[in-house]
Amino acid sequence: MTTRRITNDDIRRTVKELCIKANTVLRPDVLEVLKKGADEEEKGSVSEKMMRILIENAAMAEKETMPICQDTGLVSVFLEIGEDVSIEGKGLKDAINKGVEEAYKDTFLRKSVVADPILRDNTGTNTPAIINLDIVKGDKLTIWVMPKGFGSENKGSICMMNPTCTEEDIVKFCTDTVKKAGSDACPPYILGIGLGGTMDTCASLAKKALLEPVGGKNKKPHIADMERRIREEVSNLGIGIMGLGGKSTVLGVRIKESPTHIAGLPVAVNLSCHALRSACAEL
Amino acid sequence: MKKIATPLSDESIKSLKAGEEVLLTGTIYTARDQAHLRMCRMIEKEEKLPLELKGETIYYCGPSPAGERIIGSCGPTTSSRMDAFTEPLLRVGLLGMIGKGSRSEEVREAIKRYKAVYFITPGGAGAYLSKKVKSSVVEGFEDLGPEAIYRLDVEDFPLVVGIDSKGNDIYKRGEK
């Protein structure tokens, strides 16, 4: 097998383009569930009107290359690097951060990153990005960029559950997380859920679950069934857009699972607002 | 649909009912976490604020950069983070607040006590809302960047009354 060469400069340029695309072009799968949600609202209701505003907002953002939401997020970058890929040039991490910086600095994207959680000085570049690396088979390099606002990020939660807990317990924990978020984090929500792994990987799985198509389902039937049950329970909360009690409380639930330890069952919920933003490219 | 203007008059505030849709025209000021913290500290020390709050309306918002436009995306941020700083601002005369999401019981009580009003506007619709803004200038705390206080002139800005001056709260449905 020959090695494919990809330069750090290709990566920098791609990350920059993906940051701009993710912030200005709403994912087609997200737009689709939003439209479906709007159609399900009571005709002429405030909720329906507000749902239509979101759809109009997405069209305006794309047409005018404006951010869908002013909170253009803290950027998570996910790289799947094929074993047969050779990355040329120094500093992969620098290349990724440079790409983010070029997208955000001196442009229309808001810089929302502070250098220190206590001192809180804005870095002015929206870097550093949160970088996740994975090694996969093949000669491709896939990059996902997910700028996530903190209105919804603040409402996520993780629970290290007992291995003997029931599926009902898991459904309840996920539902309670959304109940606590209430109307604060821009419902209708999209839920990314991590099951298994360790505390840290579980949280990461929850975030990665948000990269999956919102309208899709897990390949394993028992996990897909949990996605469906969680969606049903969360819908029953009746929060609705802006908390107005309309029909749309959740637009999708996706789960990513992983092997774990005999003594535990970590469960993490990464809550997303309706404006779930990400973009992907394969090099 | 009902149209209202800022500065909000006592009569117009009195007429607003929780759950009602309104279109707002006039001047509003952005302020979020750090601006609230600073203003509260200044009120405590009896210092002069960058703007006279009496009769004014604050919008919990940190817009994205304007570039060549009047303003960038400018949707609301989560109101509950401002809960702890709201009573002091109402005490010095703030009358209107615009944000997203529910408020604490303390804030609801204070809104009732000071005969103020809390509005909500759709989050995640920043591009759409930017078209309702006719001018934008930095009014104070410029060093805070996106968190600075901006004076915005808005036209037909779409709102829903979240908590009215009688303390009726749309988020308390079914909790009584």
Side-chain angles (χ1 to χ4, degrees):
Chain A
M1 175 66 78
T2 52
T3 304
R4 247 186 94 228
R5 296 168 196 281
I6 293 171
T7 68
N8 269 332
D9 208 46
D10 293 332
I11 294 171
R12 172 193 59 76
R13 202 172 42 245
T14 306
V15 167
K16 180 185 177 181
E17 285 166 8
L18 292 176
C19 283
I20 293 171
K21 185 182 173 193
N23 273 300
T24 57
V25 183
L26 193 63
R27 279 167 43 171
D29 59 324
V30 176
L31 190 59
E32 194 185 315
V33 290
L34 259 184
K35 284 180 175 166
K36 212 171 145 208
D39 290 343
E40 284 166 6
E41 295 292 347
E42 195 182 315
K43 296 282 162 276
S45 64
V46 184
S47 295
E48 190 208 0
K49 197 186 291 180
M50 295 299 162
M51 290 290 282
R52 303 266 177 229
I53 284 181
L54 299 185
I55 294 159
E56 198 180 335
N57 181 71
M60 276 174 145
E62 183 168 351
K63 188 172 161 230
E64 301 191 23
T65 321
M66 274 190 90
I68 294 159
C69 174
Q70 72 287 340
D71 188 348
T72 50
L74 177 55
V75 180
S76 289
V77 180
F78 300 86
L79 284 95
E80 277 186 4
I81 306 173
E83 286 170 349
D84 302 318
V85 169
S86 156
I87 297 172
E88 295 194 336
K90 282 181 188 165
L92 173 63
K93 194 171 166 182
D94 284 351
I96 295 167
N97 279 317
K98 193 82 189 142
V100 173
E101 178 173 343
E102 284 177 12
Y104 280 77
K105 207 180 175 188
D106 306 320
T107 71
F108 56 93
L109 301 179
R110 199 180 80 185
K111 273 85 41 199
S112 311
V113 177
V114 293
D116 180 288
I118 307 299
L119 304 175
R120 308 202 72 81
D121 283 329
N122 197 305
T123 61
T125 58
N126 217 53
T127 61
I130 308 297
I131 302 171
N132 299 267
L133 292 179
D134 204 358
I135 308 293
V136 295
K137 293 217 175 297
D139 64 351
K140 298 277 194 309
L141 170 68
T142 314
I143 305 176
W144 284 266
V145 163
M146 184 194 287
K148 194 158 182 297
F150 257 52
S152 63
E153 189 69 4
N154 278 338
K155 304 294 179 182
S157 64
I158 185 159
C159 182
M160 303 302 285
M161 298 182 95
N162 285 331
T164 50
C165 80
T166 63
E167 289 184 7
E168 280 74 29
D169 296 332
I170 296 170
V171 172
K172 185 172 186 305
F173 169 71
C174 297
T175 310
D176 285 350
T177 299
V178 180
K179 195 174 177 183
K180 271 186 214 149
S183 58
D184 288 4
C186 289
Y189 299 124
I190 297 161
L191 269 58
I193 295 169
L195 291 183
T198 52
M199 183 177 166
D200 53 326
T201 54
C202 186
S204 189
L205 281 174
K207 177 142 286 157
K208 281 186 194 158
L210 291 172
L211 295 172
E212 297 292 322
V214 177
K217 61 180 182 183
N218 195 288
K219 280 183 190 147
K220 295 182 182 172
H222 72 290
I223 304 280
D225 190 54
M226 286 187 72
E227 289 174 335
R228 184 192 57 75
R229 284 169 64 189
I230 292 165
R231 182 168 180 172
E232 207 173 284
E233 288 298 315
V234 171
S235 291
N236 287 342
L237 293 173
I239 297 168
I241 184 170
M242 291 167 79
L244 294 169
K247 301 260 194 315
S248 294
T249 296
V250 58
L251 298 173
V253 175
R254 296 310 312 267
I255 297 177
K256 263 183 131 47
E257 78 289 354
S258 155
T260 189
H261 191 275
I262 50 170
L265 204 176
V267 181
V269 181
N270 196 203
L271 197 71
S272 174
C273 58
H274 54 74
L276 171 56
R277 286 152 286 165
S278 70
C280 173
E282 196 181 84
L283 298 179
Chain B
M1 198 187 304
K2 186 188 272 187
K3 293 198 176 204
I4 56 170
T6 59
L8 297 168
S9 67
D10 291 346
E11 298 88 87
S12 90
I13 289 182
K14 222 173 143 183
S15 75
L16 297 169
K17 306 241 175 328
E20 185 177 21
E21 273 182 280
V22 289
L23 295 172
L24 180 136
T25 297
T27 301
I28 58 176
Y29 296 88
T30 68
R32 46 176 291 157
D33 308 67
Q34 299 301 331
H36 272 77
L37 180 63
R38 278 194 194 178
M39 284 196 285
C40 282
R41 284 183 178 158
M42 291 169 90
I43 291 169
E44 219 169 88
K45 292 182 194 160
E46 296 181 355
E47 290 171 1
K48 192 175 157 36
L49 297 178
L51 75 153
E52 173 66 53
L53 281 178
K54 202 166 165 48
E56 298 298 348
T57 296
I58 278 182
Y59 179 25
Y60 304 141
C61 172
S64 59
E68 302 295 307
R69 302 183 168 94
I70 292 169
I71 195 167
S73 277
C74 57
T77 196
T78 310
S79 305
S80 60
R81 292 200 314 274
M82 266 48 80
D83 282 354
F85 309 108
T86 296
E87 197 277 339
L89 304 194
L90 289 168
R91 205 192 315 142
V92 298
L94 178 73
L95 279 183
M97 291 156 283
I98 305 168
K100 69 173 165 93
S102 60
R103 308 303 303 262
S104 66
E105 182 55 22
E106 289 73 26
V107 169
R108 192 190 68 80
E109 292 277 345
I111 287 171
K112 192 176 165 187
R113 188 158 69 247
Y114 294 106
K115 297 188 172 48
V117 60
Y118 168 58
F119 301 102
I120 53 172
T121 193
Y128 176 90
L129 291 174
S130 75
K131 305 296 173 196
K132 311 292 177 187
V133 178
K134 302 303 161 190
S135 77
S136 161
V137 248
V138 175
E139 184 77 11
F141 302 152
E142 195 167 4
D143 60 300
L144 291 177
E147 294 204 67
I149 295 179
Y150 290 83
R151 186 177 77 234
L152 309 182
D153 286 315
V154 302
E155 202 176 295
D156 290 338
F157 204 82
L159 305 172
V160 173
V161 179
I163 304 175
D164 65 29
S165 58
K166 293 188 181 64
N168 297 309
D169 182 345
I170 59 159
Y171 297 122
K172 301 279 178 188
R173 289 182 313 259
E175 278 184 26
K176 284 170 191 150

